[in-house]
Short mmCIF file of all heavy atoms in Angstrom, two decimals:
data_model
loop_
_atom_site.label_atom_id
_atom_site.label_comp_id
_atom_site.label_asym_id
_atom_site.label_seq_id
_atom_site.Cartn_x
_atom_site.Cartn_y
_atom_site.Cartn_z
N SER F 1 -9.68 -38.06 103.48
CA SER F 1 -9.87 -37.48 102.16
C SER F 1 -8.82 -36.42 101.90
O SER F 1 -8.46 -35.64 102.77
CB SER F 1 -11.27 -36.85 102.06
OG SER F 1 -11.41 -35.81 103.00
N HIS F 2 -8.27 -36.44 100.67
CA HIS F 2 -7.33 -35.40 100.28
C HIS F 2 -7.43 -35.22 98.78
O HIS F 2 -7.91 -36.07 98.05
CB HIS F 2 -5.90 -35.76 100.70
CG HIS F 2 -5.39 -37.01 100.06
ND1 HIS F 2 -5.66 -38.25 100.58
CD2 HIS F 2 -4.64 -37.20 98.96
CE1 HIS F 2 -5.09 -39.17 99.83
NE2 HIS F 2 -4.47 -38.56 98.84
N HIS F 3 -6.98 -34.05 98.33
CA HIS F 3 -7.07 -33.73 96.93
C HIS F 3 -5.70 -33.39 96.40
O HIS F 3 -4.88 -32.80 97.09
CB HIS F 3 -8.02 -32.55 96.71
CG HIS F 3 -9.36 -32.74 97.32
ND1 HIS F 3 -10.31 -33.57 96.79
CD2 HIS F 3 -9.90 -32.21 98.45
CE1 HIS F 3 -11.39 -33.54 97.55
NE2 HIS F 3 -11.17 -32.73 98.56
N SER F 4 -5.45 -33.78 95.16
CA SER F 4 -4.22 -33.40 94.49
C SER F 4 -4.57 -32.31 93.50
O SER F 4 -5.51 -32.45 92.71
CB SER F 4 -3.62 -34.61 93.76
OG SER F 4 -2.51 -34.20 92.99
N TYR F 5 -3.85 -31.19 93.54
CA TYR F 5 -4.13 -30.12 92.61
C TYR F 5 -2.83 -29.50 92.15
O TYR F 5 -1.81 -29.61 92.80
CB TYR F 5 -5.03 -29.06 93.24
CG TYR F 5 -4.39 -28.27 94.34
CD1 TYR F 5 -3.68 -27.10 94.07
CD2 TYR F 5 -4.49 -28.71 95.67
CE1 TYR F 5 -3.08 -26.39 95.09
CE2 TYR F 5 -3.89 -28.00 96.68
CZ TYR F 5 -3.20 -26.84 96.40
OH TYR F 5 -2.61 -26.14 97.39
N THR F 6 -2.88 -28.87 91.03
CA THR F 6 -1.73 -28.19 90.48
C THR F 6 -2.01 -26.71 90.45
O THR F 6 -3.05 -26.28 89.91
CB THR F 6 -1.43 -28.68 89.04
OG1 THR F 6 -1.29 -30.09 89.07
CG2 THR F 6 -0.17 -28.03 88.51
N ASP F 7 -1.14 -25.90 91.05
CA ASP F 7 -1.39 -24.46 91.10
C ASP F 7 -1.07 -23.83 89.75
O ASP F 7 -0.64 -24.48 88.81
CB ASP F 7 -0.59 -23.80 92.23
CG ASP F 7 0.90 -23.91 92.05
OD1 ASP F 7 1.34 -24.14 90.91
OD2 ASP F 7 1.63 -23.76 93.05
N GLN F 8 -1.29 -22.51 89.66
CA GLN F 8 -1.13 -21.84 88.39
C GLN F 8 0.33 -21.78 87.96
O GLN F 8 0.63 -21.47 86.82
CB GLN F 8 -1.72 -20.43 88.49
CG GLN F 8 -3.23 -20.47 88.71
CD GLN F 8 -3.81 -19.09 88.88
OE1 GLN F 8 -3.08 -18.13 89.13
NE2 GLN F 8 -5.12 -18.97 88.74
N GLY F 9 1.26 -22.03 88.85
CA GLY F 9 2.66 -22.06 88.50
C GLY F 9 3.11 -23.42 88.00
O GLY F 9 4.26 -23.62 87.65
N GLY F 10 2.19 -24.40 87.99
CA GLY F 10 2.51 -25.72 87.50
C GLY F 10 3.00 -26.67 88.56
O GLY F 10 3.39 -27.80 88.27
N GLU F 11 2.98 -26.24 89.84
CA GLU F 11 3.45 -27.09 90.92
C GLU F 11 2.31 -27.95 91.44
O GLU F 11 1.24 -27.45 91.76
CB GLU F 11 4.01 -26.24 92.06
CG GLU F 11 5.26 -25.47 91.68
CD GLU F 11 5.83 -24.71 92.86
OE1 GLU F 11 5.25 -24.85 93.96
OE2 GLU F 11 6.83 -24.03 92.69
N GLU F 12 2.56 -29.26 91.50
CA GLU F 12 1.55 -30.19 91.99
C GLU F 12 1.85 -30.53 93.43
O GLU F 12 2.98 -30.77 93.81
CB GLU F 12 1.53 -31.46 91.14
CG GLU F 12 0.43 -32.43 91.56
CD GLU F 12 0.37 -33.64 90.65
OE1 GLU F 12 1.07 -33.61 89.62
OE2 GLU F 12 -0.34 -34.59 90.98
N SER F 13 0.84 -30.50 94.25
CA SER F 13 1.04 -30.81 95.66
C SER F 13 -0.13 -31.60 96.20
O SER F 13 -1.22 -31.57 95.63
CB SER F 13 1.21 -29.51 96.48
OG SER F 13 0.02 -28.74 96.40
N GLU F 14 0.10 -32.31 97.28
CA GLU F 14 -0.94 -33.08 97.94
C GLU F 14 -1.54 -32.24 99.06
O GLU F 14 -0.83 -31.77 99.93
CB GLU F 14 -0.36 -34.37 98.52
CG GLU F 14 0.16 -35.34 97.47
CD GLU F 14 -0.96 -35.94 96.63
OE1 GLU F 14 -2.11 -35.96 97.13
OE2 GLU F 14 -0.70 -36.35 95.51
N ASP F 15 -2.84 -32.04 99.01
CA ASP F 15 -3.53 -31.20 99.98
C ASP F 15 -4.32 -32.10 100.92
O ASP F 15 -5.27 -32.75 100.51
CB ASP F 15 -4.47 -30.23 99.25
CG ASP F 15 -5.23 -29.37 100.22
OD1 ASP F 15 -4.81 -29.30 101.39
OD2 ASP F 15 -6.24 -28.77 99.81
N TYR F 16 -3.92 -32.15 102.18
CA TYR F 16 -4.57 -33.03 103.14
C TYR F 16 -5.58 -32.31 104.01
O TYR F 16 -6.13 -32.89 104.93
CB TYR F 16 -3.52 -33.71 104.02
CG TYR F 16 -2.78 -34.80 103.29
CD1 TYR F 16 -1.59 -34.52 102.65
CD2 TYR F 16 -3.29 -36.09 103.23
CE1 TYR F 16 -0.92 -35.51 101.97
CE2 TYR F 16 -2.62 -37.08 102.55
CZ TYR F 16 -1.43 -36.79 101.92
OH TYR F 16 -0.77 -37.77 101.23
N GLU F 17 -5.84 -31.05 103.77
CA GLU F 17 -6.83 -30.35 104.56
C GLU F 17 -8.23 -30.78 104.11
O GLU F 17 -8.43 -31.21 102.98
CB GLU F 17 -6.66 -28.84 104.41
CG GLU F 17 -6.91 -28.32 103.02
CD GLU F 17 -6.59 -26.84 102.90
OE1 GLU F 17 -6.36 -26.21 103.94
OE2 GLU F 17 -6.57 -26.34 101.77
N SER F 18 -9.17 -30.63 105.00
CA SER F 18 -10.54 -31.01 104.68
C SER F 18 -11.15 -30.00 103.71
O SER F 18 -10.62 -28.90 103.52
CB SER F 18 -11.37 -31.07 105.96
OG SER F 18 -11.53 -29.78 106.51
N GLU F 19 -12.27 -30.38 103.15
CA GLU F 19 -12.96 -29.47 102.23
C GLU F 19 -13.36 -28.18 102.96
O GLU F 19 -13.23 -27.08 102.40
CB GLU F 19 -14.21 -30.15 101.66
CG GLU F 19 -15.03 -29.26 100.74
CD GLU F 19 -16.34 -29.91 100.35
OE1 GLU F 19 -16.34 -31.14 100.15
OE2 GLU F 19 -17.34 -29.19 100.27
N GLU F 20 -13.84 -28.32 104.19
CA GLU F 20 -14.25 -27.14 104.94
C GLU F 20 -13.07 -26.22 105.23
O GLU F 20 -13.19 -24.99 105.15
CB GLU F 20 -14.93 -27.55 106.25
CG GLU F 20 -15.45 -26.36 107.06
CD GLU F 20 -16.20 -26.80 108.29
OE1 GLU F 20 -16.34 -28.02 108.49
OE2 GLU F 20 -16.64 -25.92 109.06
N GLN F 21 -11.92 -26.81 105.56
CA GLN F 21 -10.73 -26.00 105.82
C GLN F 21 -10.30 -25.26 104.56
O GLN F 21 -9.88 -24.10 104.63
CB GLN F 21 -9.60 -26.88 106.34
CG GLN F 21 -9.83 -27.42 107.74
CD GLN F 21 -8.76 -28.43 108.15
OE1 GLN F 21 -8.21 -29.16 107.32
NE2 GLN F 21 -8.46 -28.47 109.43
N LEU F 22 -10.38 -25.92 103.43
CA LEU F 22 -10.04 -25.27 102.17
C LEU F 22 -10.98 -24.11 101.89
O LEU F 22 -10.55 -23.03 101.47
CB LEU F 22 -10.10 -26.28 101.03
CG LEU F 22 -9.87 -25.72 99.61
CD1 LEU F 22 -8.49 -25.08 99.52
CD2 LEU F 22 -10.04 -26.82 98.56
N GLN F 23 -12.25 -24.31 102.14
CA GLN F 23 -13.23 -23.25 101.92
C GLN F 23 -12.95 -22.05 102.84
O GLN F 23 -13.06 -20.90 102.41
CB GLN F 23 -14.64 -23.79 102.16
CG GLN F 23 -15.11 -24.74 101.08
CD GLN F 23 -16.49 -25.31 101.37
OE1 GLN F 23 -16.86 -25.50 102.52
NE2 GLN F 23 -17.25 -25.58 100.34
N GLN F 24 -12.58 -22.34 104.09
CA GLN F 24 -12.27 -21.26 105.01
C GLN F 24 -11.07 -20.45 104.52
O GLN F 24 -11.06 -19.22 104.61
CB GLN F 24 -11.97 -21.82 106.41
CG GLN F 24 -13.13 -22.55 107.07
CD GLN F 24 -14.36 -21.68 107.21
OE1 GLN F 24 -14.30 -20.60 107.81
NE2 GLN F 24 -15.46 -22.12 106.66
N ARG F 25 -10.07 -21.12 103.99
CA ARG F 25 -8.89 -20.42 103.48
C ARG F 25 -9.25 -19.55 102.29
O ARG F 25 -8.78 -18.41 102.16
CB ARG F 25 -7.80 -21.42 103.09
CG ARG F 25 -7.08 -22.05 104.26
CD ARG F 25 -5.69 -22.51 103.86
NE ARG F 25 -5.71 -23.45 102.73
CZ ARG F 25 -5.01 -23.28 101.61
NH1 ARG F 25 -4.26 -22.22 101.46
NH2 ARG F 25 -5.06 -24.19 100.65
N ILE F 26 -10.08 -20.07 101.42
CA ILE F 26 -10.49 -19.30 100.24
C ILE F 26 -11.29 -18.07 100.65
O ILE F 26 -11.06 -16.96 100.15
CB ILE F 26 -11.31 -20.18 99.28
CG1 ILE F 26 -10.44 -21.29 98.70
CG2 ILE F 26 -11.92 -19.35 98.17
CD1 ILE F 26 -11.19 -22.30 97.85
N LEU F 27 -12.23 -18.25 101.59
CA LEU F 27 -13.06 -17.13 102.03
C LEU F 27 -12.23 -16.06 102.73
O LEU F 27 -12.45 -14.86 102.55
CB LEU F 27 -14.17 -17.63 102.96
CG LEU F 27 -15.23 -18.52 102.30
CD1 LEU F 27 -16.21 -19.06 103.34
CD2 LEU F 27 -15.98 -17.76 101.21
N THR F 28 -11.26 -16.49 103.55
CA THR F 28 -10.40 -15.53 104.22
C THR F 28 -9.58 -14.73 103.21
O THR F 28 -9.45 -13.50 103.33
CB THR F 28 -9.46 -16.25 105.21
OG1 THR F 28 -10.24 -16.91 106.21
CG2 THR F 28 -8.52 -15.25 105.89
N ALA F 29 -9.05 -15.42 102.21
CA ALA F 29 -8.28 -14.73 101.18
C ALA F 29 -9.16 -13.80 100.35
O ALA F 29 -8.70 -12.75 99.88
CB ALA F 29 -7.60 -15.75 100.27
N ALA F 30 -10.42 -14.15 100.19
CA ALA F 30 -11.34 -13.34 99.37
C ALA F 30 -11.67 -12.00 100.01
O ALA F 30 -12.05 -11.06 99.31
CB ALA F 30 -12.62 -14.13 99.12
N LEU F 31 -11.55 -11.89 101.34
CA LEU F 31 -11.91 -10.64 102.01
C LEU F 31 -11.07 -9.47 101.50
O LEU F 31 -11.54 -8.33 101.48
CB LEU F 31 -11.71 -10.78 103.53
CG LEU F 31 -12.68 -11.74 104.23
CD1 LEU F 31 -12.31 -11.88 105.71
CD2 LEU F 31 -14.11 -11.24 104.09
N GLU F 32 -9.86 -9.74 101.06
CA GLU F 32 -8.99 -8.68 100.54
C GLU F 32 -9.57 -8.04 99.28
O GLU F 32 -9.30 -6.87 98.98
CB GLU F 32 -7.61 -9.28 100.23
CG GLU F 32 -6.64 -8.29 99.61
CD GLU F 32 -5.31 -8.94 99.23
OE1 GLU F 32 -5.09 -10.12 99.63
OE2 GLU F 32 -4.51 -8.27 98.55
N PHE F 33 -10.40 -8.78 98.56
CA PHE F 33 -10.92 -8.30 97.29
C PHE F 33 -12.35 -7.78 97.39
O PHE F 33 -12.92 -7.37 96.38
CB PHE F 33 -10.85 -9.43 96.26
CG PHE F 33 -9.46 -9.98 96.08
CD1 PHE F 33 -9.05 -11.12 96.78
CD2 PHE F 33 -8.55 -9.35 95.26
CE1 PHE F 33 -7.76 -11.62 96.64
CE2 PHE F 33 -7.26 -9.85 95.11
CZ PHE F 33 -6.86 -10.98 95.79
N VAL F 34 -12.93 -7.78 98.59
CA VAL F 34 -14.29 -7.28 98.77
C VAL F 34 -14.41 -5.79 98.45
O VAL F 34 -15.38 -5.38 97.80
CB VAL F 34 -14.80 -7.58 100.20
CG1 VAL F 34 -16.09 -6.82 100.49
CG2 VAL F 34 -15.01 -9.08 100.38
N PRO F 35 -13.48 -4.93 98.90
CA PRO F 35 -13.62 -3.51 98.56
C PRO F 35 -13.71 -3.24 97.06
O PRO F 35 -14.37 -2.29 96.64
CB PRO F 35 -12.34 -2.89 99.15
CG PRO F 35 -11.99 -3.78 100.29
CD PRO F 35 -12.33 -5.17 99.81
N ALA F 36 -13.09 -4.08 96.25
CA ALA F 36 -13.11 -3.88 94.80
C ALA F 36 -14.27 -4.60 94.12
O ALA F 36 -14.87 -4.08 93.17
CB ALA F 36 -11.79 -4.33 94.18
N HIS F 37 -14.60 -5.79 94.60
CA HIS F 37 -15.61 -6.63 93.92
C HIS F 37 -16.90 -6.79 94.70
O HIS F 37 -17.86 -7.37 94.18
CB HIS F 37 -15.02 -8.01 93.63
CG HIS F 37 -13.83 -7.99 92.71
ND1 HIS F 37 -13.95 -7.87 91.34
CD2 HIS F 37 -12.49 -8.04 92.97
CE1 HIS F 37 -12.73 -7.87 90.79
NE2 HIS F 37 -11.83 -7.97 91.76
N GLY F 38 -16.95 -6.31 95.93
CA GLY F 38 -18.14 -6.50 96.75
C GLY F 38 -18.22 -7.91 97.29
O GLY F 38 -17.30 -8.72 97.13
N TRP F 39 -19.36 -8.21 97.92
CA TRP F 39 -19.57 -9.55 98.50
C TRP F 39 -20.13 -10.45 97.41
O TRP F 39 -21.32 -10.78 97.40
CB TRP F 39 -20.50 -9.46 99.70
CG TRP F 39 -20.00 -8.50 100.73
CD1 TRP F 39 -20.32 -7.18 100.85
CD2 TRP F 39 -19.08 -8.78 101.79
NE1 TRP F 39 -19.65 -6.62 101.91
CE2 TRP F 39 -18.88 -7.58 102.51
CE3 TRP F 39 -18.40 -9.93 102.20
CZ2 TRP F 39 -18.04 -7.49 103.62
CZ3 TRP F 39 -17.56 -9.86 103.30
CH2 TRP F 39 -17.39 -8.65 104.00
N THR F 40 -19.27 -10.84 96.49
CA THR F 40 -19.70 -11.56 95.29
C THR F 40 -18.83 -12.78 95.03
O THR F 40 -17.79 -12.98 95.66
CB THR F 40 -19.62 -10.63 94.07
OG1 THR F 40 -18.24 -10.25 93.86
CG2 THR F 40 -20.46 -9.37 94.27
N GLY F 41 -19.26 -13.55 94.04
CA GLY F 41 -18.47 -14.69 93.61
C GLY F 41 -17.15 -14.26 92.99
O GLY F 41 -16.17 -15.02 93.01
N ASP F 42 -17.11 -13.06 92.42
CA ASP F 42 -15.87 -12.56 91.84
C ASP F 42 -14.79 -12.40 92.90
O ASP F 42 -13.61 -12.72 92.66
CB ASP F 42 -16.10 -11.22 91.14
CG ASP F 42 -16.95 -11.37 89.89
OD1 ASP F 42 -17.01 -12.49 89.33
OD2 ASP F 42 -17.56 -10.37 89.45
N ALA F 43 -15.19 -11.90 94.08
CA ALA F 43 -14.21 -11.75 95.17
C ALA F 43 -13.71 -13.11 95.61
O ALA F 43 -12.51 -13.28 95.90
CB ALA F 43 -14.86 -11.02 96.34
N ILE F 44 -14.61 -14.10 95.66
CA ILE F 44 -14.20 -15.45 96.05
C ILE F 44 -13.26 -16.04 95.01
O ILE F 44 -12.26 -16.69 95.36
CB ILE F 44 -15.43 -16.35 96.23
CG1 ILE F 44 -16.32 -15.81 97.37
CG2 ILE F 44 -15.02 -17.78 96.52
CD1 ILE F 44 -17.60 -16.59 97.58
N ALA F 45 -13.55 -15.82 93.74
CA ALA F 45 -12.68 -16.32 92.68
C ALA F 45 -11.29 -15.70 92.77
O ALA F 45 -10.27 -16.38 92.60
CB ALA F 45 -13.29 -16.02 91.31
N GLU F 46 -11.23 -14.41 93.09
CA GLU F 46 -9.94 -13.73 93.25
C GLU F 46 -9.20 -14.30 94.47
O GLU F 46 -7.97 -14.42 94.46
CB GLU F 46 -10.16 -12.23 93.41
CG GLU F 46 -10.63 -11.53 92.15
CD GLU F 46 -9.61 -11.60 91.03
OE1 GLU F 46 -8.39 -11.59 91.32
OE2 GLU F 46 -10.02 -11.68 89.86
#
């Protein structure tokens, strides 16, 4: 399974990581925004 997505800069790329790996990357990146947004969906969105 893989997903094709286009980032906010308009670049399209093929993502071969699993859904769980993608979620882990998002959650890790979200930790930077916890001090400002708390443990919320807003931090995950950021």
Side-chain angles (χ1 to χ4, degrees):
S1 61
H2 61 276
H3 306 285
S4 174
Y5 68 89
T6 305
D7 63 20
Q8 295 177 344
E11 295 184 2
E12 184 176 350
S13 63
E14 295 292 336
D15 179 17
Y16 285 93
E17 65 186 350
S18 67
E19 178 188 322
E20 183 176 358
Q21 290 173 329
L22 175 61
Q23 289 177 328
Q24 298 302 304
R25 286 205 303 126
I26 294 174
L27 293 175
T28 298
L31 292 176
E32 177 184 350
F33 303 96
V34 168
H37 298 281
W39 304 93
T40 63
D42 291 338
I44 297 177
E46 290 296 327

